[in-house]
Structure formats: structure tokens, C-alpha cells
Amino acid sequence: MAENVFKNQSHINTTRTRFIIAGGTIALAVIALFVFSVNTPNPEWGNYWRVKPLLLTPFIGAFGGMAMYYCTRLAAYMQINKVVGFLLSMPVYVVILWIGIVLGLNGTLWN
């Protein structure tokens, strides 16, 4: 019986890790579009203004991926279809991603 519990935990950790990595990767791609599209940055921003958004936004995006994972788990617990649960958790990720973009670009592109 104990082996069965550990096997389920391993599957849960793997799935959760995939959601976290996917959330962070999507956030990195989105923020990179904003950051690397600036040709002439404002001199008030400093030389390393790109570091903050490129570190903060993917971290918050990974948190959004984790929140999305738990929303899909909640939907499965409530016996909702997987696709419907995934689609219902998408707005949660989009709002968290938006907050990450705002916090990452605060003081530079987001005034």
C-alpha cells in the first residue's frame, strides 16, 4: 500500500513541475518580446534595466503555472472534465502573468 502512495506522489510532482516550467517559460518569452523590442532605452533606467523584468516575470509566471496546476487539480477533485478545468484555470494564469509583467516593467516601460 505504501509503494502505491509514493508512486502517485512522484506522478503529482512531475506534473506540477511541468506546469511550473511551462508557466515560467511562457512568461520569459512574453517579457523578452517587450524587453528586447526597445532600441533606445531611457538613460534614467540604468545599464542593467533588463535584469529585473527578465528575472522577476518568469518567477511570477512559474508561480502562475503552479496556481494553474492546483486549479486543474481542484477541477479534477470536483469531477469536472480535464479540458474544462484547464480552460477555467487559464484566466488565473493570465492575471498572474499580467501582474508579473507589470511588476517586472515597473519603473521602465510601465509608468
PDB file of all heavy atoms in Angstrom, residues 5 8 17 31 40 44-46 49 57-58 60-61 66-67 78-79 85 87 92 100-101 106:
ATOM      1  N   VAL A   5       1.238   4.785  -2.761  1.00  0.00           N
ATOM      2  CA  VAL A   5       1.157   6.196  -2.391  1.00  0.00           C
ATOM      3  C   VAL A   5       2.362   6.939  -2.934  1.00  0.00           C
ATOM      4  O   VAL A   5       2.246   8.043  -3.468  1.00  0.00           O
ATOM      5  CB  VAL A   5       1.053   6.348  -0.858  1.00  0.00           C
ATOM      6  CG1 VAL A   5       1.194   7.803  -0.453  1.00  0.00           C
ATOM      7  CG2 VAL A   5      -0.256   5.780  -0.367  1.00  0.00           C
ATOM      8  N   ASN A   8       2.108   7.581  -6.700  1.00  0.00           N
ATOM      9  CA  ASN A   8       1.198   8.681  -7.011  1.00  0.00           C
ATOM     10  C   ASN A   8       1.849  10.027  -6.720  1.00  0.00           C
ATOM     11  O   ASN A   8       1.679  10.979  -7.457  1.00  0.00           O
ATOM     12  CB  ASN A   8      -0.103   8.549  -6.229  1.00  0.00           C
ATOM     13  CG  ASN A   8      -0.957   7.407  -6.735  1.00  0.00           C
ATOM     14  OD1 ASN A   8      -0.784   6.969  -7.858  1.00  0.00           O
ATOM     15  ND2 ASN A   8      -1.856   6.928  -5.900  1.00  0.00           N
ATOM     16  N   THR A  17       5.741  19.989 -11.692  1.00  0.00           N
ATOM     17  CA  THR A  17       6.980  20.560 -12.227  1.00  0.00           C
ATOM     18  C   THR A  17       6.800  20.981 -13.673  1.00  0.00           C
ATOM     19  O   THR A  17       7.299  22.035 -14.085  1.00  0.00           O
ATOM     20  CB  THR A  17       8.121  19.541 -12.097  1.00  0.00           C
ATOM     21  OG1 THR A  17       8.249  19.159 -10.726  1.00  0.00           O
ATOM     22  CG2 THR A  17       9.423  20.123 -12.580  1.00  0.00           C
ATOM     23  N   ILE A  31       7.917  38.358 -21.779  1.00  0.00           N
ATOM     24  CA  ILE A  31       8.664  39.525 -21.308  1.00  0.00           C
ATOM     25  C   ILE A  31       9.856  39.809 -22.215  1.00  0.00           C
ATOM     26  O   ILE A  31      10.251  40.961 -22.383  1.00  0.00           O
ATOM     27  CB  ILE A  31       9.096  39.370 -19.827  1.00  0.00           C
ATOM     28  CG1 ILE A  31       9.451  40.737 -19.223  1.00  0.00           C
ATOM     29  CG2 ILE A  31      10.247  38.431 -19.673  1.00  0.00           C
ATOM     30  CD1 ILE A  31       8.312  41.676 -19.098  1.00  0.00           C
ATOM     31  N   THR A  40      16.227  52.124 -28.086  1.00  0.00           N
ATOM     32  CA  THR A  40      16.931  53.189 -27.375  1.00  0.00           C
ATOM     33  C   THR A  40      16.289  53.352 -25.998  1.00  0.00           C
ATOM     34  O   THR A  40      15.314  54.081 -25.839  1.00  0.00           O
ATOM     35  CB  THR A  40      16.846  54.515 -28.152  1.00  0.00           C
ATOM     36  OG1 THR A  40      15.475  54.819 -28.384  1.00  0.00           O
ATOM     37  CG2 THR A  40      17.583  54.423 -29.477  1.00  0.00           C
ATOM     38  N   GLU A  44      17.768  57.152 -17.862  1.00  0.00           N
ATOM     39  CA  GLU A  44      17.441  57.128 -16.431  1.00  0.00           C
ATOM     40  C   GLU A  44      17.275  55.707 -15.901  1.00  0.00           C
ATOM     41  O   GLU A  44      17.339  55.484 -14.686  1.00  0.00           O
ATOM     42  CB  GLU A  44      16.158  57.923 -16.171  1.00  0.00           C
ATOM     43  CG  GLU A  44      16.278  59.394 -16.465  1.00  0.00           C
ATOM     44  CD  GLU A  44      14.948  60.111 -16.290  1.00  0.00           C
ATOM     45  OE1 GLU A  44      13.949  59.437 -15.934  1.00  0.00           O
ATOM     46  OE2 GLU A  44      14.905  61.325 -16.520  1.00  0.00           O
ATOM     47  N   TRP A  45      17.038  54.751 -16.780  1.00  0.00           N
ATOM     48  CA  TRP A  45      16.805  53.380 -16.354  1.00  0.00           C
ATOM     49  C   TRP A  45      18.076  52.671 -15.918  1.00  0.00           C
ATOM     50  O   TRP A  45      18.013  51.659 -15.219  1.00  0.00           O
ATOM     51  CB  TRP A  45      16.149  52.572 -17.460  1.00  0.00           C
ATOM     52  CG  TRP A  45      14.813  53.058 -17.879  1.00  0.00           C
ATOM     53  CD1 TRP A  45      14.005  53.934 -17.223  1.00  0.00           C
ATOM     54  CD2 TRP A  45      14.117  52.691 -19.055  1.00  0.00           C
ATOM     55  NE1 TRP A  45      12.859  54.145 -17.905  1.00  0.00           N
ATOM     56  CE2 TRP A  45      12.891  53.394 -19.064  1.00  0.00           C
ATOM     57  CE3 TRP A  45      14.395  51.862 -20.116  1.00  0.00           C
ATOM     58  CZ2 TRP A  45      11.952  53.268 -20.068  1.00  0.00           C
ATOM     59  CZ3 TRP A  45      13.464  51.733 -21.125  1.00  0.00           C
ATOM     60  CH2 TRP A  45      12.253  52.428 -21.100  1.00  0.00           C
ATOM     61  N   GLY A  46      19.226  53.122 -16.330  1.00  0.00           N
ATOM     62  CA  GLY A  46      20.482  52.469 -15.984  1.00  0.00           C
ATOM     63  C   GLY A  46      20.898  51.458 -17.038  1.00  0.00           C
ATOM     64  O   GLY A  46      20.164  51.162 -17.982  1.00  0.00           O
ATOM     65  N   TRP A  49      18.879  47.613 -16.825  1.00  0.00           N
ATOM     66  CA  TRP A  49      17.447  47.691 -16.592  1.00  0.00           C
ATOM     67  C   TRP A  49      16.719  46.430 -17.031  1.00  0.00           C
ATOM     68  O   TRP A  49      15.620  46.144 -16.565  1.00  0.00           O
ATOM     69  CB  TRP A  49      16.858  48.907 -17.309  1.00  0.00           C
ATOM     70  CG  TRP A  49      16.823  48.790 -18.799  1.00  0.00           C
ATOM     71  CD1 TRP A  49      17.799  49.142 -19.673  1.00  0.00           C
ATOM     72  CD2 TRP A  49      15.740  48.292 -19.586  1.00  0.00           C
ATOM     73  NE1 TRP A  49      17.411  48.888 -20.961  1.00  0.00           N
ATOM     74  CE2 TRP A  49      16.145  48.369 -20.947  1.00  0.00           C
ATOM     75  CE3 TRP A  49      14.482  47.793 -19.297  1.00  0.00           C
ATOM     76  CZ2 TRP A  49      15.330  47.961 -21.994  1.00  0.00           C
ATOM     77  CZ3 TRP A  49      13.671  47.389 -20.344  1.00  0.00           C
ATOM     78  CH2 TRP A  49      14.091  47.478 -21.678  1.00  0.00           C
ATOM     79  N   THR A  57       9.653  38.395 -13.830  1.00  0.00           N
ATOM     80  CA  THR A  57       8.463  37.942 -14.556  1.00  0.00           C
ATOM     81  C   THR A  57       8.423  36.414 -14.734  1.00  0.00           C
ATOM     82  O   THR A  57       7.370  35.810 -14.507  1.00  0.00           O
ATOM     83  CB  THR A  57       8.346  38.669 -15.901  1.00  0.00           C
ATOM     84  OG1 THR A  57       8.360  40.077 -15.662  1.00  0.00           O
ATOM     85  CG2 THR A  57       7.074  38.302 -16.615  1.00  0.00           C
ATOM     86  N   PRO A  58       9.530  35.746 -15.131  1.00  0.00           N
ATOM     87  CA  PRO A  58       9.451  34.277 -15.212  1.00  0.00           C
ATOM     88  C   PRO A  58       9.212  33.609 -13.853  1.00  0.00           C
ATOM     89  O   PRO A  58       8.533  32.580 -13.773  1.00  0.00           O
ATOM     90  CB  PRO A  58      10.806  33.869 -15.780  1.00  0.00           C
ATOM     91  CG  PRO A  58      11.268  35.054 -16.518  1.00  0.00           C
ATOM     92  CD  PRO A  58      10.752  36.231 -15.747  1.00  0.00           C
ATOM     93  N   ILE A  60       7.391  34.874 -11.380  1.00  0.00           N
ATOM     94  CA  ILE A  60       5.964  35.026 -11.121  1.00  0.00           C
ATOM     95  C   ILE A  60       5.152  34.157 -12.086  1.00  0.00           C
ATOM     96  O   ILE A  60       4.116  33.601 -11.720  1.00  0.00           O
ATOM     97  CB  ILE A  60       5.561  36.512 -11.197  1.00  0.00           C
ATOM     98  CG1 ILE A  60       6.251  37.267 -10.058  1.00  0.00           C
ATOM     99  CG2 ILE A  60       4.054  36.689 -11.116  1.00  0.00           C
ATOM    100  CD1 ILE A  60       6.077  38.758 -10.088  1.00  0.00           C
ATOM    101  N   GLY A  61       5.623  34.007 -13.325  1.00  0.00           N
ATOM    102  CA  GLY A  61       4.960  33.121 -14.281  1.00  0.00           C
ATOM    103  C   GLY A  61       4.998  31.669 -13.820  1.00  0.00           C
ATOM    104  O   GLY A  61       4.043  30.914 -14.016  1.00  0.00           O
ATOM    105  N   MET A  66       2.081  27.099 -11.220  1.00  0.00           N
ATOM    106  CA  MET A  66       1.746  26.288 -10.060  1.00  0.00           C
ATOM    107  C   MET A  66       0.287  26.516  -9.645  1.00  0.00           C
ATOM    108  O   MET A  66      -0.429  25.564  -9.315  1.00  0.00           O
ATOM    109  CB  MET A  66       2.676  26.607  -8.895  1.00  0.00           C
ATOM    110  CG  MET A  66       2.463  25.723  -7.699  1.00  0.00           C
ATOM    111  SD  MET A  66       3.614  26.060  -6.366  1.00  0.00           S
ATOM    112  CE  MET A  66       3.130  27.696  -5.907  1.00  0.00           C
ATOM    113  N   ALA A  67      -0.168  27.760  -9.688  1.00  0.00           N
ATOM    114  CA  ALA A  67      -1.564  28.049  -9.365  1.00  0.00           C
ATOM    115  C   ALA A  67      -2.500  27.378 -10.366  1.00  0.00           C
ATOM    116  O   ALA A  67      -3.550  26.857  -9.991  1.00  0.00           O
ATOM    117  CB  ALA A  67      -1.790  29.560  -9.347  1.00  0.00           C
ATOM    118  N   MET A  78     -13.409  18.072  -8.145  1.00  0.00           N
ATOM    119  CA  MET A  78     -14.833  18.370  -8.269  1.00  0.00           C
ATOM    120  C   MET A  78     -15.477  17.602  -9.414  1.00  0.00           C
ATOM    121  O   MET A  78     -16.631  17.844  -9.754  1.00  0.00           O
ATOM    122  CB  MET A  78     -15.031  19.877  -8.463  1.00  0.00           C
ATOM    123  CG  MET A  78     -14.604  20.676  -7.265  1.00  0.00           C
ATOM    124  SD  MET A  78     -14.613  22.459  -7.529  1.00  0.00           S
ATOM    125  CE  MET A  78     -16.244  22.754  -8.132  1.00  0.00           C
ATOM    126  N   GLN A  79     -14.731  16.702 -10.027  1.00  0.00           N
ATOM    127  CA  GLN A  79     -15.177  15.837 -11.117  1.00  0.00           C
ATOM    128  C   GLN A  79     -15.638  16.632 -12.338  1.00  0.00           C
ATOM    129  O   GLN A  79     -16.656  16.348 -12.953  1.00  0.00           O
ATOM    130  CB  GLN A  79     -16.263  14.895 -10.635  1.00  0.00           C
ATOM    131  CG  GLN A  79     -15.770  13.946  -9.564  1.00  0.00           C
ATOM    132  CD  GLN A  79     -16.853  13.038  -9.049  1.00  0.00           C
ATOM    133  OE1 GLN A  79     -18.026  13.230  -9.320  1.00  0.00           O
ATOM    134  NE2 GLN A  79     -16.450  12.037  -8.292  1.00  0.00           N
ATOM    135  N   GLY A  85     -11.589  22.061 -16.954  1.00  0.00           N
ATOM    136  CA  GLY A  85     -10.808  22.525 -15.818  1.00  0.00           C
ATOM    137  C   GLY A  85      -9.585  23.302 -16.243  1.00  0.00           C
ATOM    138  O   GLY A  85      -9.238  24.323 -15.640  1.00  0.00           O
ATOM    139  N   LEU A  87      -9.258  24.973 -19.112  1.00  0.00           N
ATOM    140  CA  LEU A  87      -9.717  26.247 -19.676  1.00  0.00           C
ATOM    141  C   LEU A  87     -10.184  27.214 -18.590  1.00  0.00           C
ATOM    142  O   LEU A  87     -10.007  28.431 -18.722  1.00  0.00           O
ATOM    143  CB  LEU A  87     -10.827  26.011 -20.694  1.00  0.00           C
ATOM    144  CG  LEU A  87     -10.399  25.305 -21.980  1.00  0.00           C
ATOM    145  CD1 LEU A  87     -11.611  25.030 -22.858  1.00  0.00           C
ATOM    146  CD2 LEU A  87      -9.360  26.120 -22.726  1.00  0.00           C
ATOM    147  N   VAL A  92      -6.728  32.465 -14.553  1.00  0.00           N
ATOM    148  CA  VAL A  92      -5.894  32.605 -13.352  1.00  0.00           C
ATOM    149  C   VAL A  92      -4.444  32.844 -13.765  1.00  0.00           C
ATOM    150  O   VAL A  92      -3.777  33.761 -13.261  1.00  0.00           O
ATOM    151  CB  VAL A  92      -6.006  31.347 -12.453  1.00  0.00           C
ATOM    152  CG1 VAL A  92      -5.019  31.402 -11.301  1.00  0.00           C
ATOM    153  CG2 VAL A  92      -7.420  31.177 -11.954  1.00  0.00           C
ATOM    154  N   GLY A 100       2.869  39.894 -13.137  1.00  0.00           N
ATOM    155  CA  GLY A 100       4.318  39.734 -13.265  1.00  0.00           C
ATOM    156  C   GLY A 100       4.923  40.698 -14.273  1.00  0.00           C
ATOM    157  O   GLY A 100       6.015  41.239 -14.048  1.00  0.00           O
ATOM    158  N   ILE A 101       4.227  40.931 -15.368  1.00  0.00           N
ATOM    159  CA  ILE A 101       4.721  41.876 -16.368  1.00  0.00           C
ATOM    160  C   ILE A 101       4.720  43.290 -15.801  1.00  0.00           C
ATOM    161  O   ILE A 101       5.681  44.046 -15.979  1.00  0.00           O
ATOM    162  CB  ILE A 101       3.878  41.786 -17.660  1.00  0.00           C
ATOM    163  CG1 ILE A 101       4.143  40.450 -18.355  1.00  0.00           C
ATOM    164  CG2 ILE A 101       4.183  42.940 -18.595  1.00  0.00           C
ATOM    165  CD1 ILE A 101       3.206  40.161 -19.499  1.00  0.00           C
ATOM    166  N   ASN A 106       7.863  47.753 -14.029  1.00  0.00           N
ATOM    167  CA  ASN A 106       7.621  48.934 -13.222  1.00  0.00           C
ATOM    168  C   ASN A 106       8.883  49.793 -13.140  1.00  0.00           C
ATOM    169  O   ASN A 106       9.944  49.310 -12.777  1.00  0.00           O
ATOM    170  CB  ASN A 106       7.170  48.536 -11.820  1.00  0.00           C
ATOM    171  CG  ASN A 106       6.808  49.726 -10.981  1.00  0.00           C
ATOM    172  OD1 ASN A 106       6.451  50.778 -11.505  1.00  0.00           O
ATOM    173  ND2 ASN A 106       6.889  49.567  -9.678  1.00  0.00           N
TER     174      ASN A 106
END
